[in-house]
Amino acid sequence: MKKTLSLLLLVIITGTTFAQDGPREKRGDENRKERREDFRKEFADLSPAQIATLQTKKMALELDLTEAQQKDVLSLNTELATSRKAQMETMKAKKESGEKPTSDERYAMMNKRLDEQLAVQTKMKKILNEDQYKMWKRNQHKKGGKKPMGRKEGMHARK
């Protein structure tokens, strides 16, 4: 009787384990894509100044910025939002015309984006104090879905 009950319990546990959805990474990617689409729809109608204001207020709440820091961050966010909006319009026009970038153009775009990220990072380092900068940097990694270098991944570490 105990053996039959143990075997039945083992079959039920095994069955429910395999009945789960696919790998968590795939489900996370789908959710991330949905959130990204929601974000785009939400911010599509806003002007660059409105987007910059919202981002600055969110940063002020997260990082406890002073008035002077808020002004500096607002000007930086306005500059970034304006360039991002213009870039999105040109990409949208190219996509509608069916024009695809060449590998050299993709390389140039990626290189330009990385240069802009480095410039923003140095500007933020000048605006924020050390603790605020660390928190901002941590939030940037969360936003991009990347983990800061040097962190262990716990159970999923390289084997």
Side-chain angles (χ1 to χ4, degrees):
M1 180 70 180
K2 289 183 181 180
K3 289 183 180 181
T4 339
L5 187 59
S6 300
L7 184 61
L8 182 62
L9 187 61
L10 180 67
V11 168
I12 291 173
I13 291 173
T14 306
T16 56
T17 303
F18 285 112
Q20 300 295 323
D21 287 342
R24 292 178 188 244
E25 294 84 26
K26 289 184 181 178
R27 288 189 305 221
D29 288 343
E30 291 172 6
N31 290 338
R32 190 177 310 140
K33 287 178 184 176
E34 290 173 11
R35 284 182 294 187
R36 190 180 311 135
E37 288 300 320
D38 292 343
F39 177 80
R40 286 182 181 153
K41 288 176 187 175
E42 189 175 313
F43 282 87
D45 298 332
L46 298 179
S47 71
Q50 292 171 325
I51 292 170
T53 303
L54 292 174
Q55 287 176 333
T56 303
K57 287 185 178 185
K58 186 177 177 183
M59 286 178 67
L61 289 171
E62 291 173 352
L63 304 175
D64 195 26
L65 301 176
T66 64
E67 289 293 324
Q69 287 175 324
Q70 287 182 36
K71 288 179 184 177
D72 292 340
V73 169
L74 178 62
S75 66
L76 178 62
N77 282 338
T78 305
E79 178 185 321
L80 293 172
T82 305
S83 67
R84 204 175 309 121
K85 194 84 163 183
Q87 191 175 18
M88 282 175 37
E89 293 298 323
T90 57
M91 293 300 290
K92 188 176 182 180
K94 284 184 179 182
K95 186 176 182 180
E96 288 174 356
S97 69
E99 189 179 325
K100 291 189 176 185
T102 65
S103 62
D104 290 336
E105 290 173 335
R106 280 196 310 268
Y107 170 76
M109 286 189 296
M110 292 167 71
N111 197 22
K112 180 182 174 189
R113 187 183 71 225
L114 290 172
D115 288 341
E116 289 171 354
Q117 286 177 353
L118 286 170
V120 168
Q121 187 171 327
T122 56
K123 288 177 184 178
M124 290 303 284
K125 203 170 201 174
K126 290 178 184 175
I127 295 170
L128 304 175
N129 66 32
E130 192 173 324
D131 293 334
Q132 291 171 331
Y133 179 75
K134 285 179 184 176
M135 190 179 296
W136 175 79
K137 192 79 168 153
R138 195 174 324 123
N139 290 344
Q140 290 301 107
H141 286 290
K142 286 180 186 176
K143 193 188 315 182
K146 302 171 189 164
K147 292 186 178 176
M149 301 248 335
R151 280 207 170 166
K152 302 271 184 195
E153 293 187 27
M155 291 174 39
H156 304 291
R158 228 185 282 172
K159 295 175 183 174

